[in-house]
Amino acid sequence: MRRAVCPGSFDPITNGHLDIIARASRLYDEVYVAVMINKSKKGLFEIDQRIQLIREVTSEYANVRVESFHGLLVDFCKQRDIPAIVKGLRAVSDFDYELQMAQMNNGLTGVETLFVPTNPTYSFLSSSLVKEVAAWGGDVSHLVPPQVLEALNKRLARD
């Protein structure tokens, strides 16, 4: 069984994230989407809501599992016998940081990182940018799945 993980905070998940997850699901028998828990950062969505949204928008991929994790990603991988991390790269600036992480992860446990170039349609896209544009009333409907847009609008209406 070939396994890989797509890690991130996914606050919220975007169409760019979904593109990488979908592509990984075609390459691997089992793909974990690992939702990072960082207790020192306050996200827009609670971890449970992020997981629920990701499960909804990835439901068409039978081989995708969604879980949260706290700590080192390599420990998550070791516990689930996952030998590969799949990361999307938007620009050269992503590569500089991600290469360091990949080398550290490989040095710690031998886990490999595969870099997938982002679809040019989503090359500018980030969760932070989506949240900022949405908070100012901008249209992000083409950047996130409909379920995420609905949750985003509800959440921002409360603030």
Side-chain angles (χ1 to χ4, degrees):
M1 171 95 48
R2 295 171 302 144
R3 291 185 181 94
V5 61
C6 295
S9 58
F10 305 103
D11 186 36
I13 190 167
T14 69
N15 289 339
H17 293 130
L18 276 177
D19 177 59
I20 299 299
I21 294 165
R23 292 160 66 191
S25 76
R26 292 191 296 270
L27 297 171
Y28 291 92
D29 300 317
E30 199 167 48
V31 174
Y32 285 80
V33 177
V35 182
M36 180 178 62
I37 298 172
N38 185 343
K39 297 194 188 248
S40 65
K41 287 176 83 175
K42 176 68 176 141
L44 183 63
F45 294 104
E46 297 295 327
I47 296 297
D48 290 342
Q49 189 172 16
R50 291 183 215 172
I51 289 171
Q52 175 191 342
L53 286 168
I54 297 167
R55 285 182 177 152
E56 287 177 25
V57 301
T58 61
S59 63
E60 68 185 88
Y61 310 111
N63 62 335
V64 171
R65 299 172 184 262
V66 184
E67 296 183 15
S68 63
F69 83 94
H70 180 358
L72 294 175
L73 180 60
V74 292
D75 290 338
F76 180 92
C77 292
K78 194 180 336 177
Q79 292 164 4
R80 291 157 184 82
D81 194 27
I82 299 172
I85 299 166
V86 176
K87 299 289 297 233
L89 293 179
R90 295 171 293 193
V92 173
S93 57
D94 285 349
F95 180 76
D96 290 339
Y97 173 75
E98 294 296 347
L99 180 62
Q100 286 181 317
M101 294 297 296
Q103 291 170 332
M104 177 62 79
N105 289 337
N106 186 265
L108 289 171
T109 63
V111 171
E112 296 290 349
T113 300
L114 283 82
F115 297 121
V116 178
T118 301
N119 180 321
T121 304
Y122 308 120
S123 63
F124 65 92
L125 189 53
S126 71
S127 294
S128 298
L129 191 55
V130 165
K131 289 185 287 194
E132 186 173 345
V133 170
W136 287 101
D139 180 12
V140 295
S141 61
H142 59 294
L143 305 176
V144 296
Q147 303 94 315
V148 175
L149 181 63
E150 182 180 339
L152 191 56
N153 288 336
K154 283 182 185 174
R155 178 67 177 96
L156 292 173
R158 284 191 272 154
D159 288 346

